[in-house]
């Protein structure tokens, strides 16, 4: 099966809600059906602890904690975090910055490698 980036706008991904953003950098900048995610790559800045929740519902509800990760501080550079996902079937993902290394933290891109599936078997 062909693997591809499931977080692209062309693949149907969209930002449902962002609780914090900057007008120069709208939440939709993070992205360009049901899927099975095998790997996530996240580029961020000053993020200390990141939690990722997932939902398999038809609507963005019933989220469950999936991954929580402490990131390494990289002075003056983007953090590049690669996460090999287990049990990665999801319809929606929610990214929560639990703590930061400074007052301002940002997520620059999210890439999810995996396979689109028609239903969960």
């Amino acid at each position: 099966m062909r693997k591809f980036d499931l977080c692209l706008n062309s693949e149907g991904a969209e930002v449902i809600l962002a609780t914090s953003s900057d007008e120069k950098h709208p939440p939709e900048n993070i992205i360009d059906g049901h899927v099975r995610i095998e790997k996530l790559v996240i580029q961020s800045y000053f993020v200390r602890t990141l939690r990722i929740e997932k939902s398999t519902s038809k609507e963005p509800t019933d989220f469950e904690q999936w991954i929580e990760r402490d990131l390494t501080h990289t002075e003056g550079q983007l953090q590049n975090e690669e996460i090999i996902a287990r049990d990665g079937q999801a319809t929606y993902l929610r990214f929560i910055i639990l703590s930061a290394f400074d007052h301002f933290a940002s997520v620059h891109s999210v890439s999810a490698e995996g396979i689109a599936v028609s239903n969960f078997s």
Side-chain angles (χ1 to χ4, degrees), residues 44-115:
S44 57
Y45 194 66
F46 283 145
V47 174
R48 182 185 301 262
T49 305
L50 178 68
R51 176 182 293 159
I52 304 169
E53 298 177 347
K54 67 176 186 163
S55 171
T56 57
S57 300
K58 291 182 179 182
E59 298 294 323
T61 59
D62 302 321
F63 283 90
E64 62 184 58
Q65 184 174 330
W66 182 36
I67 296 167
E68 190 168 311
R69 181 75 53 97
D70 290 324
L71 280 60
T72 303
H73 180 57
T74 54
E75 187 65 40
Q77 299 177 42
L78 288 179
Q79 298 160 294
N80 291 297
E81 190 71 19
E82 185 173 304
I83 301 169
I84 303 301
R86 294 188 183 13
D87 188 30
Q89 294 186 358
T91 309
Y92 297 95
L93 296 178
R94 177 165 46 198
F95 294 81
I96 303 169
I97 299 173
L98 296 175
S99 63
F101 290 105
D102 201 352
H103 297 292
F104 179 81
S106 59
V107 176
H108 291 258
S109 71
V110 173
S111 173
E113 184 178 290
I115 300 167

Side-chain angles (χ1 to χ4, degrees), residues 4 6 11 33-37 56 88-93 112 114-118 120:
F4 50 93
L6 302 166
E11 297 298 333
H34 288 289
V35 297
R36 185 175 72 228
I37 299 167
T56 57
Q89 294 186 358
T91 309
Y92 297 95
L93 296 178
I115 300 167
V117 293
S118 58
F120 295 132

Side-chain angles (χ1 to χ4, degrees), residues 9-36:
N9 190 31
S10 62
E11 297 298 333
E14 61 182 313
V15 174
I16 302 296
L17 172 71
T19 57
S20 177
S21 66
D22 181 281
E23 64 185 38
K24 293 180 185 175
H25 307 283
E28 291 77 18
N29 283 356
I30 199 169
I31 63 169
D32 197 73
H34 288 289
V35 297
R36 185 175 72 228

